[in-house]
Amino acid sequence: MLRREPNPNRNHPLHCPWCAGEDLFPNEIEDFGWLCRDCTRVFSVRYYGQDAPEHRPAPARSTSQAIKNSLKRHGHLQEEEK
Ligand SMILES: [Zn+2]
């Protein structure tokens, strides 16, 4: 039986943000807490959500569209393809 509900926003850091140690262990201080066993620091890694920028980058072109654009830009398209 679980002692508390699983936390879907919990993530596992790969390195301690202070000493880059990899010996990290969950800490009971809160639902997002970690203990670094190398430097004994206790810290949290928390996910708040994604930013919603006012101006987003243009969506990436498909590979075939990118190739067509590149060929056109360098003058390699045949007449019927232009
Ligand atoms: Zn550390």
Side-chain angles (χ1 to χ4, degrees), residues 16-21 24 36-41 43:
C16 170
W18 280 271
C19 75
L24 303 176
C36 173
R37 286 174 165 168
D38 290 334
C39 68
T40 67
R41 285 183 170 94
F43 58 93

Side-chain angles (χ1 to χ4, degrees), residues 56-71:
R56 292 182 179 278
R61 288 182 288 275
S62 69
T63 302
S64 92
Q65 190 60 51
I67 290 173
K68 281 180 188 168
N69 290 358
S70 177
L71 290 173

Side-chain angles (χ1 to χ4, degrees), residues 4-47:
R4 58 186 176 196
E5 290 294 310
N7 180 351
N9 289 323
R10 185 175 175 84
N11 205 340
H12 188 291
L14 298 178
H15 300 277
C16 170
W18 280 271
C19 75
E22 298 177 1
D23 193 6
L24 303 176
F25 197 78
N27 187 272
E28 66 275 3
I29 192 164
E30 65 159 13
D31 281 351
F32 302 90
W34 292 93
L35 162 68
C36 173
R37 286 174 165 168
D38 290 334
C39 68
T40 67
R41 285 183 170 94
V42 176
F43 58 93
S44 297
V45 176
R46 186 178 293 245
Y47 175 71

